Amino acid sequence: MGLTTAVAVALPLSLPARAAAGRFPSSPKQRNQDMNSIITKDGTEIFYKDWGSGQPIVFHHGWPLSGDDWDAQMLFFLHHGYRVIAHDRRGHGRSSQVSGGHDMDHYAADVAALAAHLDLRDAIHVGHSTGGGEATRYVARHGVGRVAKLVLMSAVPPLMVKTPGNPGGLPIEVFDGLRDALAANRAKFYRDLSSGPFYGFNRPDAKAVPSVVDNWWRQGMMGAANAHYDGIKAFSETDFTDDLKAIDVPTLVMHGDDDQIVPIADSAPLSAKLLKHATLKIYKGYPHGMLTVNADVINRDMLAFFRS
């Protein structure tokens, strides 16, 4: 038996033959149908999870994470009769690691493509941190007729960076430092961030939860370094003032007063003032990652808002 014949026996179906036989997807269209993903107009594949039935809740994750960061909320609201959906932003998680489009306009357009694909109506959108910016821009520019309510949790709007018009913002040097740390050693930077200020584990009386830190690090390292690098500009320098003014659905603004990532003084109260129908809820001592370490309280309060 010659080498060619032996290989043919050992591998009876070539890759194209296996695709033709239906053993795995043969085209991007079939692949995204099988893998719960969509292809946007610019060719970016956006992965999403879609569980259950009932009124849809769309969860927008923070930087540099993925839809997995919403596990505690996805399970909770699934068991309360909602349809729960979470996507991975372009360049994050299981979505395409593309070279461009890492800005809020593209992020919001990707969500619009997903909402159209799933034909979402009467949807509730929940955004954490950078995802709060994404949800804000989506609801303001694409959500008319599709959105029932909005939740902004530890969210970046109205504007994070310090400017003449936003004197309470953080200096640009803070964000330059994030970029430098990411470029120098992304794995170390993500470990330091998640084991320290993100969850408030650097506070004197705090007890770090290694599994939470590991899960944050896992999600971050799944994504693309270029998307995360460019994403720092997107979340820090995008001004959402006009978006907030345009939103007319009931909005719950939730923020911890010990948030070391998105300081409360220049975020939640200002957003609540710009929104037409806002409810501001401030949590004493809660950190930026309160959706995970304070999920019991956060989930209960969101459920009450959804049912109101």
Side-chain angles (χ1 to χ4, degrees), residues 1 11 33 54 92 124 155 183 203 241 256 261 281:
M1 180 183 296
L11 302 172
Q33 287 173 343
H92 296 63
I124 300 166
R203 293 310 194 201
T241 300
I261 307 299
K281 194 165 183 62

Side-chain angles (χ1 to χ4, degrees), residues 169-187:
L170 295 171
I172 188 66
E173 289 78 13
V174 171
F175 304 106
D176 289 340
L178 298 180
R179 281 181 277 262
D180 290 345
L182 188 154
N185 188 334
R186 184 167 66 127

Side-chain angles (χ1 to χ4, degrees), residues 16 34 79 106 136:
D34 292 345
H79 293 150
H106 279 86
T136 296

Side-chain angles (χ1 to χ4, degrees), residues 178-233:
L178 298 180
R179 281 181 277 262
D180 290 345
L182 188 154
N185 188 334
R186 184 167 66 127
K188 181 180 184 302
F189 172 47
Y190 288 177
R191 180 70 66 184
D192 292 345
L193 189 61
S194 56
S195 62
F198 195 92
Y199 295 109
F201 292 154
N202 59 336
R203 293 310 194 201
D205 297 328
K207 283 190 174 182
V209 183
S211 58
V212 169
V213 174
D214 290 346
N215 189 44
W216 198 103
W217 188 89
R218 172 191 69 84
Q219 291 178 72
M221 294 306 294
M222 285 174 65
N226 67 318
H228 296 170
Y229 188 95
D230 292 347
I232 295 171
K233 180 180 178 67

